[in-house]
Amino acid sequence: MGGIFGVVAKENCARLLFYGTDYHSHLGTEQGGLAIFGPDGFTNSIHSIGQAQFKSRFVDDYRKMNGFMGIGAIDDDSPQPLIIRSKFGTFAIAVTGLVTNKNKLAATLLAKGNSFNEMTTGGVNSAELVGKLICLGDDLVDGIEKMQSLVEGSLCALIMTADGIYAVRDKLGRFPLVLGERIENGNGSYIVATEASSFDNLGYAPAKYLGPGEVVFMSREGYETLRLPGPKRQVCSFLWIYTGYPSSSYEGIGVEVARERCGRLMAKNDQVSADLVAGVPDSGVGHAIGYAIESGLPYRRPLVKYTPGYGRSYTPPSQDIRDLVATMKLSAVKEVIAGNRMIICEDSIVRGTQLKNYTINKLWASNAREIHVRAACPPLLFPCIYSSSTRASAELAARRAIEQIEGGQPSDLRPYLDHSCARYQQMVELIRKDINVTSLKFMNIKDMVSAIGLPEGELCLYCWQGH
Ligand code: SF4
């Protein structure tokens, strides 16, 4: 998914920019970058973070930076922020999300005589493409609006000029953008970020959640909305289930409490006897705590994460690295596992291979008596088309099971979302066998929506419904 961070301040903001961007490390694993504007104009620094943490790559760079405005990015695809010289003057740009019609837009611009830098991975840098689209406008704001009308998918952007930072949220508000004000001596110091969870530690408080498609300009003089939010929003449900940091909140709804509500609802609908409840670290933990509260069973830790420094095992693009991260990051606590019947809460089951190979196998190897997996969302039937996803439809555990049942992929997948349907139950049984657990249950979509707390029509449910 990636994350972006921006700051305007009265003094050198390099340290704030460094830490604020670093707080988005859980959202991407491949590319990181910082751009700053100060007495020496625009400077930027971009590194691959595929083999190292953001902090270790940028600690020397940020100490050399000096400026009162900056933007940063962590992404799985495009190196950024880029600095672009344009007819509107120089600006730096960082984007997050996915431009699904990227190739088509790039081809149109190429036909008009534009050119693009070639990324080492091939393809076009999303930040460069978006910057070029903005330059089609009569002025910067007109260009941002044109860009929003041309881009399909989901795209948030920060554009830093010599005057201030334009913050742009995607048209349907799938991914968040939050503006914060400094708590002490606040005048003239503002930050904007994908994740508000960084704000407290940086000394800022959320002042404004941008609405769908909203454009806000912030400078040391304050901030103002340049384009009002649109009427319709479809916020990513997965933010609350898996992607978001536990201390974050989106649309005013906290991630951890939403996960606890998921866990409570799963426990209410469950009759299984067990000795303990546990979450697969980290994103299964909130769900498991909710389950433990509702069921009265003790919350224990049969699995611990060696260090938060291990990233998410589903984000790296190569299967080898995903497997390596998954193997290394979790350690089994044998004394808690041996002889126990355990309920293991997981945010979701994507391919199921990591859960089986690196979590369930470790529990069996430590002599678990029974393993009951509870997933906090329905079986995933469609890969995300609004952020860079590492999954292909055929890889999804649910789709593999459906293939076995049907001998192919049916055009109507609705029976596989309906708990009362025999085909749904067949699919769950096949996944259960595949991941090798005593029992398996998925949350139903109605309960998941109710645990999040937004009306169904305001949530993106594409992962499950395909529309
Ligand atoms: Fe979120 Fe899934 Fe929608 Fe992507 S498709 S925005 S992951 S709910």
Side-chain angles (χ1 to χ4, degrees):
M1 168 182 155
I4 45 181
F5 180 84
V7 49
V8 294
K10 285 183 282 190
E11 60 290 311
N12 184 11
C13 68
R15 191 163 69 172
L16 198 56
L17 177 63
F18 169 72
Y19 281 105
T21 306
D22 180 55
Y23 270 117
H24 293 77
S25 294
H26 60 292
L27 296 176
T29 51
E30 296 307 303
Q31 303 290 340
L34 303 172
I36 204 159
F37 178 76
D40 302 325
F42 289 87
T43 49
N44 69 343
S45 159
I46 299 171
H47 294 295
S48 158
I49 52 170
Q51 302 301 323
Q53 290 175 24
F54 177 89
K55 273 209 284 290
S56 66
R57 282 276 199 249
F58 286 89
V59 67
D60 292 333
D61 296 15
Y62 100 79
R63 287 182 176 142
K64 291 179 209 139
M65 288 180 154
N66 179 27
F68 56 88
M69 282 196 297
I71 59 175
I74 287 183
D75 199 60
D76 285 326
D77 177 44
S78 299
Q80 50 179 315
L82 301 179
I83 298 173
I84 293 177
R85 186 179 288 225
S86 78
K87 63 185 181 187
F88 311 129
T90 303
F91 62 84
I93 181 163
V95 303
T96 188
L98 188 70
V99 182
T100 47
N101 57 342
K102 187 165 152 178
N103 292 340
K104 197 170 151 206
L105 290 170
T108 310
L109 288 175
L110 286 169
K112 287 183 178 163
N114 282 275
S115 55
F116 291 94
N117 286 308
E118 185 76 9
M119 290 203 297
T120 48
T121 50
V124 168
N125 185 315
S126 297
E128 187 181 12
L129 174 69
V130 170
K132 287 208 156 90
L133 292 173
I134 289 171
C135 291
L136 296 175
D138 296 330
D139 56 42
L140 210 51
V141 177
D142 181 56
I144 289 169
E145 288 182 354
K146 272 209 172 77
M147 176 276 291
Q148 282 181 312
S149 70
L150 291 169
V151 161
E152 288 168 13
S154 175
L155 198 278
C156 294
L158 295 178
I159 300 128
M160 178 171 70
T161 70
D163 301 320
I165 294 173
Y166 297 80
V168 183
R169 190 173 177 196
D170 67 273
K171 280 179 284 191
L172 288 174
R174 277 203 171 80
F175 300 117
L177 213 44
V178 190
L179 190 142
E181 242 169 329
R182 192 141 126 190
I183 294 164
E184 284 175 23
N185 305 319
N187 287 344
S189 294
Y190 305 97
I191 57 178
V192 63
T194 303
E195 284 275 17
S197 57
S198 60
F199 285 17
D200 272 355
N201 291 356
L202 300 175
Y204 284 71
K208 178 176 178 55
Y209 290 82
L210 272 70
E214 187 169 357
V215 180
V216 170
F217 177 71
M218 66 182 208
S219 69
R220 291 192 287 181
E221 276 71 56
Y223 62 88
E224 59 175 324
T225 290
L226 301 179
R227 186 170 191 261
L228 290 169
K232 196 171 171 203
R233 61 178 172 170
Q234 279 179 343
V235 188
C236 171
S237 306
F238 235 56
L239 289 169
W240 288 279
I241 301 301
Y242 170 69
T243 339
Y245 209 67
S247 52
S248 272
S249 68
Y250 312 108
E251 314 297 325
I253 299 172
V255 169
E256 183 73 356
V257 291
R259 288 181 189 166
E260 286 181 11
R261 283 195 293 268
C262 281
R264 280 173 169 270
L265 281 168
M266 288 196 288
K268 263 190 189 149
N269 298 326
D270 215 354
Q271 287 83 37
V272 71
S273 299
D275 303 307
L276 64 92
V277 182
V280 179
D282 290 318
S283 44
V285 169
H287 302 295
I289 289 171
Y291 194 111
I293 293 169
E294 185 66 34
S295 65
L297 290 167
Y299 180 82
R300 299 189 71 190
R301 295 199 298 166
L303 295 162
V304 288
K305 197 166 164 183
Y306 175 62
T307 157
Y310 278 109
R312 290 192 148 169
S313 46
Y314 101 101
T315 44
S318 118
Q319 186 62 46
D320 282 356
I321 297 181
R322 285 199 294 270
D323 289 347
L324 181 69
V325 173
T327 309
M328 295 299 174
K329 73 175 181 181
L330 293 185
S331 300
V333 184
K334 292 187 170 46
E335 296 77 5
V336 174
I337 299 167
N340 275 326
R341 301 166 301 164
M342 51 193 67
I343 291 166
I344 302 292
C345 293
E346 176 65 304
D347 49 82
S348 55
I349 296 178
V350 184
R351 301 176 185 85
T353 42
Q354 286 185 7
L355 178 63
K356 174 181 164 181
N357 295 340
Y358 309 111
T359 305
I360 302 302
N361 283 356
K362 284 181 186 175
L363 295 172
W364 287 130
S366 298
N367 297 323
R369 198 165 123 212
E370 292 176 8
I371 303 171
H372 304 274
V373 167
R374 299 295 178 258
C377 68
L380 292 162
L381 295 174
F382 299 89
C384 176
I385 54 166
Y386 302 108
S387 68
S388 44
S389 169
T390 56
R391 322 156 198 165
S393 183
E395 291 177 305
L396 299 173
R399 289 297 197 114
R400 293 200 315 267
I402 292 169
E403 180 86 27
Q404 282 186 55
I405 297 164
E406 306 266 359
Q409 294 297 330
S411 54
D412 184 3
L413 290 170
R414 280 174 297 180
Y416 293 101
L417 272 183
D418 179 354
H419 280 220
S420 62
C421 184
R423 275 185 282 175
Y424 172 90
Q425 287 152 15
Q426 257 180 297
M427 170 188 68
V428 173
E429 177 57 12
L430 284 170
I431 302 172
R432 182 198 72 73
K433 279 191 186 149
D434 184 40
I435 62 171
N436 187 26
V437 291
T438 317
S439 78
L440 170 65
K441 270 189 159 187
F442 290 88
M443 197 160 189
N444 68 50
I445 209 154
K446 197 167 135 277
D447 282 350
M448 182 187 78
V449 168
S450 125
I452 292 171
L454 276 182
E456 183 172 336
E458 296 187 16
L459 286 169
C460 176
L461 299 169
Y462 182 90
C463 283
W464 303 279
Q465 296 178 333
H467 59 82

